[in-house]
């Protein structure tokens, strides 16, 4: 897969774009002024594998909390700013790592200039965030309705406002709740902008539906080499967004850290309760950070072959199964012993 050669930015010390590893983002749903709650959620997200965390800054007391939050966290933080450019200035002064704005809703060009100059002085990148629901009247009058061309045109207009002050540390997102529209928009954007692209399908719903829509939209674009950082937007615990984002990167072959878990779909040849076993093994692997492949297979047709190709594997038989390690059979176990025996082996090898 050939990645788009976008401009490289740094969010804190983390590179974005220019061939850097695709990063996973999420957003806190705490009140940012509640420092203890926000710090806890940021640290929970970081523990789950989140690379960058965004916080909402709707008022000055939230902006003033940035200093204390930064002191107690290690992951790069993005301030989400709307309407009041002074909030962006306050966050910049307090050490925020990145600012997300929609330049069209923070006042005139002088306000955009003030934010860009503050960010330029401190090497803070700006993400321009455009959504189908926030397109300006000029754009809607021109195109009649939200479409890919309208979203890209809006992003280009906002980028030009920032570029006027000789600031180009810009990242761009153009999100829609429609997967086909999202894909079409980012394809156009990848041809037009030199800047890193932040991918996401917005307002996708609950964890099940949202993960599917995000996997199709984000996964399609990543597979085409488009996109430098991603957020899976779910009506769920933000930690679930991180898990889904990492899973999408793994499915696209863009991240290998952690367990790659495979299991077969079951059929009439299956002689063990494979569904329960697969869930049990997958749950038992949730804290394993090793770069390994684990296979749980249900019968003798493909099972031994798939299990042998994995680092660790189970191939089921009648009420029992074989356990493989690096292609070699290490034992035969009763169904009730398979999960514990496999996890014990993996955990002992970690030591």
């Amino acid at each position: 897969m050939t990645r788009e050669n976008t401009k490289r930015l740094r969010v804190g010390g983390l590179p974005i774009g220019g061939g850097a590893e695709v990063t996973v983002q999420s957003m806190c749903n705490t009140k940012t002024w509640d420092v203890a709650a926000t710090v806890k959620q940021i640290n929970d997200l970081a523990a789950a594998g989140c690379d960058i965390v965004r916080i909402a800054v709707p008022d000055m007391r939230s902006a003033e909390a940035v200093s204390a939050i930064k002191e107690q966290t290690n992951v790069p933080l993005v301030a989400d700013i709307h309407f009041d450019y002074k909030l962006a200035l306050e966050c910049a002064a307090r050490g925020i790592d990145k600012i997300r704005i929609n330049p069209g809703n923070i006042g005139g060009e002088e306000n955009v200039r003030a934010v860009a100059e503050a960010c330029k002085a401190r090497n803070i990148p700006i993400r321009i965030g455009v959504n189908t629901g926030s397109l300006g009247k000029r754009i809607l009058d021109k195109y009649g309705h939200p479409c890919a061309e309208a979203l890209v045109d809006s992003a280009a207009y906002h980028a030009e406002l920032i570029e006027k002050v000789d600031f180009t540390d810009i990242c761009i997102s153009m999100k829609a709740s429609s997967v086909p529209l999202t894909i079409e928009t980012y394809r156009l954007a990848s041809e037009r902008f030199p800047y890193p692209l932040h991918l996401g399908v917005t307002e996708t719903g609950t964890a099940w539906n949202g993960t599917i829509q995000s996997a199709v939209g984000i996964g399609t674009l990543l597979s085409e080499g488009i996109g430098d950082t991603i957020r899976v937007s779910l009506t769920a615990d933000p930690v679930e967004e991180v898990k889904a984002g990492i899973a999408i990167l793994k499915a696209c072959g863009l991240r290998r850290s952690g367990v790659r878990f495979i299991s077969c779909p079951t059929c009439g040849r299956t002689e063990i309760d494979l569904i329960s076993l697969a869930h049990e093994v997958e749950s038992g692997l949730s804290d394993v950070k090793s770069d390994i492949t684990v296979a749980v297979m249900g019968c003798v047709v493909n099972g031994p072959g798939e299990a042998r190709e994995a680092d660790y594997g189970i191939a089921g038989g009648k009420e029992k199964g074989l356990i493989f390690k690096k292609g070699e059979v290490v034992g035969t176990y009763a169904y009730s012993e398979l999960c514990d025996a496999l996890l014990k082996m993996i955990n002992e090898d970690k030591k």
Side-chain angles (χ1 to χ4, degrees), residues 90-110:
E90 186 70 22
C91 289
R94 290 178 178 270
I96 203 71
D97 298 296
K98 184 178 179 182
I99 288 177
R100 186 268 190 181
I101 59 171
N102 183 331
N105 70 18
I106 62 169
E109 287 192 25
E110 67 278 8

Side-chain angles (χ1 to χ4, degrees), residues 166-235:
D166 194 29
F167 184 84
T168 58
D169 284 349
I170 297 169
C171 183
I172 295 177
S173 67
M174 298 141 296
K175 296 183 181 180
S177 57
S178 160
V179 172
L181 177 54
T182 297
I183 293 170
E184 183 183 1
T185 299
Y186 279 101
R187 283 173 175 165
L188 285 177
S190 70
E191 296 173 355
R192 182 161 181 178
F193 299 117
Y195 302 122
L197 297 178
H198 170 119
L199 302 186
V201 183
T202 194
E203 300 160 355
T204 61
T206 55
W208 185 84
N209 187 62
T211 298
I212 292 172
Q213 292 197 66
S214 297
V216 173
I218 295 172
T220 296
L221 291 164
L222 290 175
S223 296
E224 295 176 4
I226 298 169
D228 302 280
T229 186
I230 68 172
R231 185 210 173 173
V232 176
S233 299
L234 303 176
T235 308

Side-chain angles (χ1 to χ4, degrees), residues 116-331:
E117 289 177 345
C119 290
K120 184 178 180 179
R122 298 172 176 84
N123 296 314
I124 300 171
I126 293 175
R127 171 159 76 94
I128 296 171
V130 177
N131 289 348
T132 51
S134 62
L135 291 174
K137 184 177 184 299
R138 178 187 69 84
I139 296 291
L140 289 175
D141 287 346
K142 179 178 179 180
Y143 292 97
H145 63 93
C147 60
E149 292 80 6
L151 286 162
V152 172
D153 195 351
S154 178
Y157 168 71
H158 293 150
E160 288 167 5
L161 292 180
I162 297 173
E163 290 165 346
K164 285 182 179 180
V165 299
D166 194 29
F167 184 84
T168 58
D169 284 349
I170 297 169
C171 183
I172 295 177
S173 67
M174 298 141 296
K175 296 183 181 180
S177 57
S178 160
V179 172
L181 177 54
T182 297
I183 293 170
E184 183 183 1
T185 299
Y186 279 101
R187 283 173 175 165
L188 285 177
S190 70
E191 296 173 355
R192 182 161 181 178
F193 299 117
Y195 302 122
L197 297 178
H198 170 119
L199 302 186
V201 183
T202 194
E203 300 160 355
T204 61
T206 55
W208 185 84
N209 187 62
T211 298
I212 292 172
Q213 292 197 66
S214 297
V216 173
I218 295 172
T220 296
L221 291 164
L222 290 175
S223 296
E224 295 176 4
I226 298 169
D228 302 280
T229 186
I230 68 172
R231 185 210 173 173
V232 176
S233 299
L234 303 176
T235 308
D237 185 329
V239 168
E240 295 303 312
E241 296 186 349
V242 177
K243 292 178 179 178
I246 292 172
I248 291 169
L249 292 183
K250 286 183 178 180
C252 292
L254 295 173
R255 187 168 293 197
R256 280 288 295 161
S257 60
V259 176
R260 177 174 179 256
F261 180 77
I262 60 176
S263 60
C264 68
T266 78
C267 69
R269 290 185 294 268
T270 307
E271 300 282 356
I272 59 174
D273 183 358
L274 183 65
I275 294 174
S276 296
L277 179 62
H279 281 291
E280 187 179 3
V281 172
E282 186 175 38
S283 176
L285 294 168
S286 60
D287 293 328
V288 176
K289 305 302 182 185
S290 305
D291 182 7
I292 57 174
T293 298
V294 178
V296 178
M297 311 302 293
C299 77
V300 297
V301 175
N302 294 319
E306 295 285 356
R308 189 180 292 112
E309 290 298 315
D311 296 298
Y312 302 89
I314 292 173
K318 188 170 184 179
E319 299 179 358
K320 60 184 179 181
L322 300 175
I323 291 185
F324 290 82
K325 176 182 174 180
K326 302 293 185 181
E328 301 293 331
V329 176
V330 297

